[in-house]
Amino acid sequence: SERHHPSNERPRRRGDETVELERETAATTTTTRGMMQGGMKSSVKSARSSSMKVPGSCVGGRALARVGRSQGTRGSRGVAMKGTDRDIQIIPSVLPADWANMGQCVADLEAAGVDRIQFDVMDGNFVPNLTFGPEMISACRKYCKTPFETQLMVSQYASEVMLEEYVEATKGPNGEPGVVIVHVEACDHLHRVLNKIRDLGGSPSVALNPHTPAEAVKNVLCDVDHVLVMTVNPGFGGQAYIPTMLDKIREIRAAIVEGGYDVDIEVDGGIKADWTISQCCDAGANCFIAGSGMFAYPTLKEGCDALRAVAKDAQAGKVLAAPETVNA
C-alpha cells in the first residue's frame, strides 16, 4: 500500500480547508517551538547546577537572569538598568584590621551584619604591596560563617599556580562557593581562569582597574557572578575615590541587562557612607567594598548600617550630590 506523507494529505486547492490546515500547522509549530525552548532552558539550568557544558550555551550562564525575573515583579527595565532590583551588599575589606588578631576581626564583622568579608591578596608584583596568602584566609574560617571573598591582586603566574588554594580557602563552612575575583589585566586567558574557578567550586568574578575600559569584560559577563569596578588604583587602603568611574558602572550595568545576565556589580576604593556610595549605587552598583570607610566608625555595626542606609536611599531615588569641588 502507498505510504502516506504529510504533503500527500495537503489539499490541492486554496479554500476554507486549506486556510484551516495552515492555521493548525502554525499553532502546532508555535507549540513545538515553545516546548523546545522550554526544554533548552531546563537543560541550561540543569547543566549549570551540575557544572556541565551545554553546546552553544554560556554556562557560568548567568543567562537565566534574576534581572529578567525581577522585571516582571518589581518594576521596569529602568529599574534593572539602575540595579535597584538587586540586594544591597556591604562587604568590608580586612586591610585596616589588626592582622595579629584577624580571627577576632572577622567574628566582629559578622556580628556587625556584613554580607561578605573581603580579603585583598597582594603579591608585591601586580600591585606595590604585600599582604597574605590562602593560609591566613583558611585560618579565619573557623571564627565565622559569613561568606568570604578573595580579590587576587596578583600576577598571572601567582593566580594560576595558587588558584586552587585560594578557591578552597574562600569556601564557606560547609563548602559553599566563595567569591574569587581575578583582575582582567592579570589574565591572558581570562575565560580559562574563570571556568577553572567554577570547576573548582568557587564563584568566579572579575575586576577592572580604573584605566581599564568596560569593554574588557563584556565577553565574560556570561561566565561571572560579579564584576568589580575599582574606584581607586589597587594596592593600598585609604585612597581617594575616583568619580569618573560612574560611566563605566553604567556601561557594565547596561550590558548585563541587555544580555539578561544575573551579575552583581561591586565597587571598591574610597567608598564611604556619603555621596560616593550613593552615586555608585545610582549608576548601577549594588555591592560595596569598604575598608577605612567602615572601620572609621566607633563600632563596625555603625559603619555597616550607615553604608547600607545611604545605598538603600539611593536605590529609592534619594541620591546624594557630589561636592562642587569634585565636579569642578
Side-chain angles (χ1 to χ4, degrees):
S1 61
E2 181 182 358
R3 177 176 295 179
H4 290 284
H5 189 277
S7 62
N8 295 332
E9 298 175 359
R10 184 175 298 169
R12 295 181 181 275
R13 63 182 179 84
R14 183 170 183 82
D16 293 341
E17 293 179 353
T18 306
V19 173
E20 183 63 24
L21 178 59
E22 290 175 348
R23 287 175 179 169
E24 292 176 0
T25 301
T28 301
T29 301
T30 301
T31 302
T32 303
R33 184 181 296 119
M35 292 173 65
M36 291 176 65
Q37 290 175 343
M40 177 58 75
K41 288 182 179 179
S42 298
S43 297
V44 172
K45 183 181 292 185
S46 175
R48 180 179 165 190
S49 64
S50 62
S51 300
M52 292 173 59
K53 302 288 184 182
V54 174
S57 71
C58 195
V59 178
R62 307 290 286 179
L64 301 177
R66 183 171 65 186
V67 172
R69 295 200 298 273
S70 298
Q71 288 175 344
T73 57
R74 292 190 58 183
S76 65
R77 177 182 174 86
V79 168
M81 289 291 286
K82 287 283 189 181
T84 53
D85 60 326
R86 308 188 74 81
D87 295 334
I88 295 296
Q89 297 179 36
I90 303 302
I91 309 166
S93 162
V94 298
L95 275 182
D98 178 3
W99 291 8
N101 197 22
M102 192 69 83
Q104 185 61 52
C105 172
V106 298
D108 291 343
L109 288 170
E110 180 171 69
V114 304
D115 297 285
R116 281 199 299 281
I117 298 171
Q118 190 191 76
F119 293 85
D120 301 281
V121 176
M122 306 180 190
D123 65 353
N125 187 358
F126 181 68
V127 294
N129 198 0
L130 188 66
T131 56
F132 34 74
E135 294 85 359
M136 168 71 85
I137 302 170
S138 294
C140 289
R141 174 42 70 203
K142 63 184 177 183
Y143 292 94
C144 75
K145 296 180 180 179
T146 299
F148 285 172
E149 173 174 302
T150 298
Q151 183 182 172
L152 296 178
M153 292 176 269
V154 300
S155 67
Q156 176 166 310
Y157 174 80
S159 66
E160 290 185 352
V161 170
M162 301 187 68
L163 190 60
E164 185 170 358
E165 286 88 342
Y166 282 116
V167 171
E168 194 62 33
T170 310
K171 288 180 180 178
N174 297 310
E176 303 90 344
V179 177
V180 178
I181 306 170
V182 294
H183 271 258
V184 63
E185 303 87 0
C187 292
D188 290 340
H189 305 287
L190 187 56
H191 287 90
R192 181 184 300 165
V193 174
L194 293 171
N195 287 329
K196 185 175 181 181
I197 292 171
R198 182 86 68 189
D199 292 342
L200 290 170
S203 172
S205 303
V206 66
L208 307 86
N209 282 340
H211 73 280
T212 304
E215 195 69 30
V217 299
K218 288 183 179 179
N219 285 333
V220 296
L221 289 178
C222 59
D223 293 312
V224 301
D225 297 336
H226 309 81
V227 174
L228 169 56
V229 177
M230 293 298 299
T231 45
V232 299
N233 285 291
F236 298 95
Q239 298 185 67
Y241 166 84
I242 303 175
T244 53
M245 296 300 101
L246 293 174
D247 285 342
K248 186 189 296 187
I249 296 171
R250 293 188 187 98
E251 185 178 350
I252 294 172
R253 173 57 64 199
I256 290 169
V257 173
E258 186 66 27
Y261 303 121
D262 183 10
V263 176
D264 288 321
I265 295 181
E266 302 187 18
V267 290
D268 181 7
I271 298 298
K272 297 179 173 60
D274 58 13
W275 64 275
T276 55
I277 191 172
S278 183
Q279 295 209 348
C280 284
C281 186
D282 183 59
N286 66 296
C287 300
F288 305 97
I289 299 166
S292 56
M294 180 169 168
F295 279 79
Y297 283 80
T299 68
L300 292 171
K301 179 170 174 49
E302 289 178 72
C304 180
D305 290 348
L307 288 161
R308 197 184 303 277
V310 176
K312 284 191 171 182
D313 281 348
Q315 278 196 337
K318 301 175 183 177
V319 183
L320 301 177
E324 291 184 5
T325 54
V326 172
N327 294 323

